[in-house]
Structures are given as C-alpha cells and as structure tokens.
Amino acid sequence: MEFNEEKTNKIAGHYKEIIRLLGEDAEREGLLKTPERVAKAMQFLMQGYEQDPEKILRSAMFTEDYRQMVIVKDIDFYSMCEHHMLPFFGKAHVAYIPNKKITGLSKIARIVDVYARRMQVQERMTTQIKECIQNTLNPMGVMVIIEAQHLCMQMRGVQKQHSITTTSDFTGVFEQAKTREEFMNLIRNSK
C-alpha cells in the first residue's frame, strides 16, 4: 500500500501529541518513529473507505445458470470497533444463491475486507456485506454470519476474554427456515 506523505505526517503529529498526553516522552528513542508507524498502520487498517465493494464484485461477474447455494466460509477478518478504536476480529461466512450472475469467489472475501477495514460495529458490517452482494449480483438470496471477538470487551470494560459475538442477516430465499438451516449445517459440518 502506498501512503500519502502529507496525510501520514498529519496523523503522526496527532499521535505524537497523544503519546505526550498519556504521560510518555515522545522523544524517547523507542518512541521516535512510533507516531509514523501508527499513522501508516491506521491508514492500512482503514483503507476500506477508499475502496468500492460493488465495483470489486462487478470486476469478476459472470453469467452462469447455477441456482444452488454458493458458500465462502471461515473468511478471517480484522476490524476496528468505532466506539473504542480497539480491534475486533473473527470469521465471516457468506452464502448466496445465484440468479444468473455469479462472482469470483475471492471477491466475496475481498468485500468482507473492504467493510472490515473501516471503523465499524459488527452488526452494520454484517448488513453492509449482505446488501452489497444483494444489490450487485441480484441473487435469489444472501446470508451473512459473522463470529467475532471484541478486544473492547476482552481488554477493558467487562473483561470477558472468551466471549464471541455472532451476528447474521439474510435476504430472499434465506428467509425460509429450511434454507437458513441448510446454510448453518454446511458451515458447521465441515469444520
């Protein structure tokens, strides 16, 4: 990833001040390059704002007469909680049933990353992924399940280290309990 030097310098300046406000010596040898490293890390972690997920799906969209479930499961992701700017991470499971249009499988994982690489809440991220696929491919249905650990719950606050948060959202044929159950069985059974 290329970094905009002006943006990096501005962000680094703010982090240098934060380091000082927290009571640390920002001029200490070990911290001299920290503001710049954090500025670059934050730009990498937030690069989803500069990407168009629908364009990503359309870049590998094909006509295919396939009308069965397509599942991409166990998609690792890392995101930042917008409330505390601490990471949350886990796995996304995405299914859709095509309606004449399919997309390259890697594109499903890429759109998970686009939405994860923003300040997020898990609930919104789940819905954004679902809506992007539904709006772009117009399938017969989409279902997204996200399972994540939130460091804002594990490191601070209630400090529940082993808690997992699960969210789901679905459209179309996934509104039928039988179709949702098939998806759930398929993502559970082959682990």
Side-chain angles (χ1 to χ4, degrees), residues 42-109:
M42 292 306 289
Q43 288 173 81
F44 176 81
L45 294 171
M46 299 297 158
Q47 66 183 293
Y49 291 115
E50 298 173 9
Q51 298 171 322
D52 180 345
E54 290 187 10
K55 183 177 178 184
I56 289 168
L57 284 180
R58 284 191 305 270
S59 74
M61 198 161 78
F62 310 100
T63 301
E64 190 65 44
D65 191 23
Y66 183 79
R67 293 177 179 261
Q68 301 301 316
M69 198 176 302
V70 176
I71 300 172
V72 182
K73 68 177 201 158
D74 295 330
I75 303 167
D76 291 318
F77 74 88
Y78 300 87
S79 192
M80 294 290 268
C81 164
E82 69 181 37
H83 300 139
H84 302 98
M85 287 191 68
L86 289 171
F88 70 94
F89 58 93
K91 295 191 180 296
H93 314 288
V94 179
Y96 74 100
I97 298 178
N99 184 17
K100 298 187 176 153
K101 294 292 183 189
I102 62 170
T103 190
L105 298 174
S106 68
K107 304 307 179 193
I108 301 291

Side-chain angles (χ1 to χ4, degrees), residues 79-89 120-123 148-161 163 165:
S79 192
M80 294 290 268
C81 164
E82 69 181 37
H83 300 139
H84 302 98
M85 287 191 68
L86 289 171
F88 70 94
F89 58 93
Q120 274 292 13
V121 294
Q122 183 174 331
E123 298 87 342
Q149 296 180 50
H150 292 251
L151 292 187
C152 56
M153 284 181 54
Q154 295 177 344
M155 293 176 67
R156 55 159 308 283
V158 296
Q159 297 180 17
K160 300 301 177 200
Q161 282 72 29
S163 63
T165 301

